[in-house]
Amino acid sequence: AVRDEITESIVAAIEPQLYAAENFRARRKPPGSLDAWDLVMRALSHYWRVTRQDNVVAQALLEKAITIDPDYGQALGVLATSYTFSAHMGWADMATAAPIAERAALAAILADSEDPWAHYALGSVYLFSRRFEDSLAEFELALRLNPNFAFSQAFYAVTLCYSGRYEEGDVAIRRALRLSPRDPLAATYYGLGAYIQYAARRYDEAIKLARESLRQRADFVGAHRVLTAASGMAGDRELAVIALQG
């Protein structure tokens, strides 16, 4: 059991670094020789930087990969994810992003039903359209296909929370952080964890996790929201005002 836990932690933690290494390899090739795989690796490297501009660059690279290979499941899945995540981060309007994401996610599953990104992508579409049971089913399938998929684990956690299963959500988000503690998206995971604690009315713990999220990423709007609400509910009006202004 200990061996398996160590193995899964290593696999999940190095995944973003592997994408970065593949991006470096792809950059050494002439632009005209880049194939769909190279383009997806480059796109993932930008995606993991978690900025608005990098997300736009990733989308352009993914569109190019899909032009080369229209049935590339992972390219379609990551493209769908980039749209829902941009809305989650406040970079895009959800009403605009969701239909694009849903089309790409359904195309991804049609192209490759065994790709975890495809099922994660559809799960996130269902999450933001409040189809929680459908969302849970897709995240669970993504995690069966790749148990070390920390990103899917994190959004599975918050979907459990939205379904009223707070304790299970807390276990799931802590697993996501344990799987990938150096993940570029760790700030997001802490923010989701803060929301789960807030929903469970554990306001002091919500404040703690929201602060850690903002320590890692000061521009994460979701963590500011949770910190504002949790400190207000905890009776700390001064902190709530500061968090609201942030």
Side-chain angles (χ1 to χ4, degrees):
V2 172
R3 181 192 62 199
D4 290 345
E5 184 174 337
I6 291 170
T7 300
E8 70 180 16
S9 297
I10 292 171
V11 171
I14 66 174
E15 186 175 17
Q17 283 75 21
L18 288 176
Y19 292 141
E22 288 294 338
N23 175 55
F24 177 76
R25 182 187 64 80
R27 285 182 181 278
R28 297 176 64 186
K29 299 175 70 174
S33 69
L34 291 174
D35 59 18
W37 166 260
D38 292 316
L39 290 164
V40 170
M41 290 303 103
R42 290 182 66 177
L44 281 165
S45 179
H46 282 283
Y47 182 79
W48 287 117
R49 294 175 192 171
V50 200
T51 72
R52 183 196 297 259
Q53 184 56 39
D54 277 300
N55 197 63
V56 171
V57 172
Q59 288 173 349
L61 291 166
L62 292 163
E63 293 280 9
K64 189 173 180 181
I66 293 163
T67 300
I68 294 172
D69 184 353
D71 295 321
Y72 195 165
Q74 188 179 21
L76 288 159
V78 178
L79 180 65
T81 299
S82 74
Y83 277 97
T84 52
F85 190 67
S86 65
H88 173 71
M89 293 295 288
W91 302 333
D93 177 60
M94 181 59 75
T96 302
I100 301 171
E102 184 169 15
R103 284 194 298 272
L106 290 170
I109 290 175
L110 186 63
D112 185 358
S113 63
E114 297 296 306
D115 184 77
W117 277 94
H119 291 284
Y120 166 78
L122 189 57
S124 64
V125 168
Y126 289 152
L127 167 61
F128 291 114
S129 58
R130 305 186 69 81
R131 292 172 56 180
F132 300 134
E133 290 303 315
D134 291 331
S135 180
L136 288 171
E138 291 297 329
F139 288 140
E140 286 167 1
L141 182 49
L143 290 167
R144 283 199 295 274
L145 291 166
N146 179 4
N148 303 310
F149 197 174
F151 198 25
S152 189
Q153 183 73 39
F155 281 87
Y156 175 57
V158 79
T159 310
L160 287 167
C161 174
Y162 281 132
S163 302
R165 296 160 62 180
Y166 308 127
E167 298 308 321
E168 292 174 79
D170 182 45
V171 171
I173 197 66
R174 293 181 189 280
R175 174 173 164 75
L177 286 163
R178 187 174 70 251
L179 277 172
S180 199
R182 296 178 59 199
D183 199 306
L185 292 165
T188 305
Y189 303 166
Y190 277 107
L192 295 175
Y195 177 78
I196 291 167
Q197 295 299 326
Y198 176 81
R201 301 184 181 182
R202 294 191 285 261
Y203 302 124
D204 289 342
E205 186 65 15
I207 291 169
K208 176 183 174 182
L209 291 174
R211 278 179 152 164
E212 177 58 25
S213 175
L214 292 169
R215 185 189 70 78
Q216 295 190 21
R217 189 175 182 90
D219 64 343
F220 184 24
V221 176
H224 281 289
R225 291 192 191 113
V226 177
L227 183 58
T228 302
S231 30
M233 294 300 289
D236 191 337
R237 187 175 185 280
E238 183 179 356
L239 178 58
V241 170
I242 293 170
L244 181 62
Q245 291 172 344

